[in-house]
Amino acid sequence: MNSAPDEMKVKRRSAADARAPSPPTDFGLSISERLRLLMQRKGRSIEALAAASGLARNKLDAVAAGEAAPTINLVWKIANALGVPFGSLVAARKRGGNIVLRKATEKVYFSNDGRLTSRPLLPHDCKRLVEFYEMTIAPDYVARSEAHGAGTLESLVVVRGEVAIVVGKEASQRLKEGDAMTFEADVPHSYHNLGSTEALLYLVMSYVNLASF
């Protein structure tokens, strides 16, 4: 999850205009700074990162230069290739004291078709190996996620609705309100809202073996 389902982008909502998308460089610049720092610390070149992630060199150049607001799927590919948590690429430079995440102004990740949203409930911290999200899934929608890095665990609880979870080649697990599930997310997985109304889940991502910076 965004958590990190496939083809998700980020926008910033405001009380004045919840529908207005964020400027293209808002998300891109923060990732650009972190990406260049992580590549330096890992001793990775753009060419090496492209080979490890399967991404085109020109895409990575644009992300590293802050010229593109990458999709969530692209960020996950980069994080997996570097062996770092998702939050390591989007964390703010410095955070301290009390932190309040206002629903009206916090970043929200969403699918291209707008049928899945994911809102962080913990501030992204490059040293934290746990991330917490509120996720909504539109009626009869299947959100698919590629495999995350080895040691990545997902723990979720269904707050509203009924959802089928498929992990790798395992049988589908049907979860109703109040049901919870934990699984190793280093294989492709999906979330299918089985109901006729929006489903609401809380999702915790934890990284057992990944490095933090």
Side-chain angles (χ1 to χ4, degrees), residues 21-175:
S22 61
T25 57
D26 183 34
F27 190 43
L29 285 175
S30 63
I31 291 179
S32 169
E33 182 179 358
R34 293 296 309 169
L35 174 58
R36 286 184 274 109
L37 176 61
L38 287 168
M39 287 177 59
Q40 181 180 17
R41 290 181 175 178
K42 288 279 189 175
R44 295 287 187 89
S45 65
I46 286 287
E47 291 81 3
L49 186 57
S53 64
L55 295 170
R57 164 69 187 269
N58 63 332
K59 283 189 177 181
L60 289 173
D61 281 336
V63 173
E67 297 172 350
T71 65
I72 283 296
N73 187 45
L74 188 149
V75 177
W76 267 114
K77 286 180 180 292
I78 295 174
N80 289 341
L82 288 172
V84 299
F86 174 85
S88 292
L89 281 164
V90 298
R93 182 181 300 176
K94 293 182 180 179
R95 286 186 181 270
N98 296 330
I99 300 172
V100 177
L101 304 181
R102 301 291 183 189
K103 185 174 182 179
T105 58
E106 189 57 27
K107 291 178 179 178
V108 176
Y109 307 108
F110 64 108
S111 61
N112 286 341
D113 56 17
R115 301 191 67 193
L116 184 145
T117 69
S118 182
R119 179 171 69 96
L121 299 178
L122 284 176
H124 285 303
D125 183 340
C126 59
K127 294 184 179 181
R128 181 182 292 119
L129 298 183
V130 175
E131 296 164 356
F132 183 27
Y133 297 92
E134 174 189 84
M135 187 164 71
T136 65
I137 308 173
D140 194 30
Y141 182 71
V142 181
R144 292 182 172 85
S145 177
E146 65 179 53
H148 303 318
T152 303
L153 298 178
E154 291 195 19
S155 300
L156 57 85
V157 58
V158 178
V159 179
R160 183 175 65 244
E162 188 171 357
V163 180
I165 308 295
V166 177
V167 180
K169 297 182 179 180
E170 299 292 328
S172 174
Q173 297 292 332
R174 194 174 184 131
L175 305 181

